[in-house]
Amino acid sequence: MTDTTRRPRRSPAPDERKLDAERSRRLLLDAALEEFAARGFAGARVQDIADRAGLNKQLINYYFGGKEGLYRALSRRWLEREVEFNDPAVPLDEIVVRYLDHVLDDPRGTRLNAWRGLTEDLDDIPGDHEDLSDLERRQAAGELADDLDPAAVMLAMTAMVSAPVTMPLAVRRVFGLDPDSPEFRERYAEQLRRITRHLSA
């Protein structure tokens, strides 16, 4: 005979609940980055993010307080990753190439920023002012010429690093290379190093 006795459902242990919550948050963040990069922040739908993650869309409100909260959480995650390669002890030309490597390895964040900048009212986008203290310190140490504005340098470096993702057609026209090719990556990285060195005092 088959045992038809129903066993009581075991409640998950606190550690299991914590791991499940962390996994759900990670899945939602990854799905949000994919959707934001593909459709822009405004164009991404909460339901599509949840479907991509394979989770109930109510969890987005539960864990993040909505779509805007997801974006802020992605921004915090980026800052945590940035600390891993933005070492104040590393020369500026190498830092720039590290950012380039990150952008080329995972262009989703750059695409999201481009979407937001081109399609949304900038007054509606939350965000703090860029921290220029590292560039100011480097300028005092002679890595940047005294007559350069650190804010302008930051903007120029950001544009140079993001250009292969935001302007792939320009890359093909100017370099005659595919922006995803190892040949372009190696050549452009070396040129960014040289350009950055020329900014020194």
Side-chain angles (χ1 to χ4, degrees), residues 111-127:
R111 290 190 179 119
L112 167 57
N113 287 332
W115 269 107
R116 296 207 83 178
L118 292 172
T119 61
E120 297 184 45
D121 185 341
L122 298 184
D123 292 334
D124 294 337
I125 299 176

Side-chain angles (χ1 to χ4, degrees), residues 27-176:
L27 288 171
L28 287 169
L29 285 170
D30 289 342
L33 186 54
E34 288 287 345
E35 288 294 317
F36 292 161
R39 295 177 173 79
F41 177 82
R45 296 173 57 244
V46 168
Q47 185 64 60
D48 291 338
I49 293 170
D51 289 346
R52 184 184 285 271
L55 296 169
N56 189 302
K57 74 175 183 178
Q58 298 303 322
L59 289 177
I60 293 175
N61 282 328
Y62 180 74
Y63 289 125
F64 301 102
K67 192 165 73 166
E68 192 66 55
L70 266 174
Y71 178 78
R72 287 194 295 269
L74 283 172
S75 297
R76 288 192 297 272
R77 188 169 76 167
W78 155 247
L79 291 175
E80 291 168 2
R81 289 180 178 172
E82 186 180 28
V83 170
E84 297 173 6
F85 60 83
N86 187 3
D87 185 343
V90 173
L92 186 58
D93 62 315
E94 184 57 34
I95 292 292
V96 172
V97 172
R98 288 184 181 189
Y99 275 95
L100 176 67
D101 286 340
H102 177 80
V103 166
L104 294 178
D105 288 342
D106 186 357
R108 296 174 299 174
T110 300
R111 290 190 179 119
L112 167 57
N113 287 332
W115 269 107
R116 296 207 83 178
L118 292 172
T119 61
E120 297 184 45
D121 185 341
L122 298 184
D123 292 334
D124 294 337
I125 299 176
D128 298 323
H129 290 293
E130 188 71 38
D131 181 6
L132 300 175
S133 60
D134 183 59
L135 280 182
E136 291 166 349
R137 179 191 61 77
R138 291 176 184 275
Q139 187 172 47
E143 279 195 87
L144 289 177
D146 292 337
D147 62 344
L148 292 177
D149 180 346
V153 172
M154 175 68 78
L155 185 60
M157 290 192 305
T158 301
M160 288 192 298
V161 165
S162 62
V165 172
T166 58
M167 298 190 296
L169 291 177
V171 169
R172 289 184 180 181
R173 288 172 181 155
V174 173
F175 283 86

